[in-house]
Amino acid sequence: MPILLLIRHATNDFVKAGKLPGQLPNIHLNEEGRAQAEALGEKLKAAKIAAVYSSSLERALETAWRVAKHHGLPVQVTPRLMDTDAGAFAGRTIKDLNEGEDTRETWKHIVEKPLEARLPAGESLLEMRQRVVAEIERIAAAHPDPISQNDQPAQPQTIAIVMHSDTVKAALAHFLGTPFEHFQRMATSPASISGVHVGQNQANILFVNRLPYQDLP
């Protein structure tokens, strides 16, 4: 089974402003984000990446093609890797949600009890986890280990998957077996890479939140 590189997209003005993007369209990488994505592509240039998948949101796609171009690969786009549908909270700042009289109790419930919470007019965090994990497991199953000439499994394929902060953290929590209530305790910086080797019966976390200027193990 493959090694998955779970990549958070590079930065944009929503990230810099502390806004909740959800699934809003037309959020593009800013100048800093484009530089991060180029550095990410250079970092992974020597990796033997067999396929590149991406969320259908622009900020993920603009990061993914900067990885894919070094390998002559298409970006395989899947909406099931999109960020959480933030519904009525999309576009609002985290500060506003924390402090607003009309939002603070709901936001507190979302942060403290993600298994129970639903974003108003959006999806629940549990629904987000279920669709993202199902899609990642589908991708992993589509890339079994190649068979070498002596009929023994060869080196696992490496697959790049570009998505979003919460979706990366939800996937890592799943593979770690961590209670979902604690998934926000992990850090996923813009343009960071987390590595997971998916086996037949278990998954091994290889590294978490590596940045483009850091060496991979």
Side-chain angles (χ1 to χ4, degrees), residues 140-215:
H143 296 276
D145 294 345
I147 303 300
S148 65
Q149 292 183 346
N150 60 1
D151 294 329
Q152 296 298 315
Q155 289 295 314
Q157 297 182 64
T158 298
I159 311 299
I161 303 177
V162 183
M163 42 186 184
H164 307 270
S165 178
D166 279 0
T167 57
V168 171
K169 288 187 282 189
L172 289 172
H174 167 75
F175 289 123
L176 279 168
T178 301
F180 190 57
E181 291 88 340
H182 306 320
F183 87 110
Q184 293 286 15
R185 296 182 181 183
M186 286 179 282
T188 51
S189 303
S192 65
I193 313 166
S194 298
V196 182
H197 182 203
V198 180
Q200 291 291 346
N201 300 311
Q202 67 177 27
N204 294 316
I205 305 299
L206 304 178
F207 53 89
V208 174
N209 201 39
R210 291 294 181 97
L211 297 172
Y213 53 80
Q214 294 176 318
D215 290 334

Side-chain angles (χ1 to χ4, degrees), residues 108-119 123-130 173 178-184:
K108 180 181 178 183
H109 186 63
I110 290 169
V111 171
E112 294 181 353
K113 298 187 177 181
L115 278 174
E116 302 176 7
R118 174 179 295 277
L119 286 114
E123 69 181 335
S124 72
L125 294 175
L126 185 57
E127 288 169 338
M128 176 273 288
R129 183 189 71 171
Q130 290 170 336
T178 301
F180 190 57
E181 291 88 340
H182 306 320
F183 87 110
Q184 293 286 15

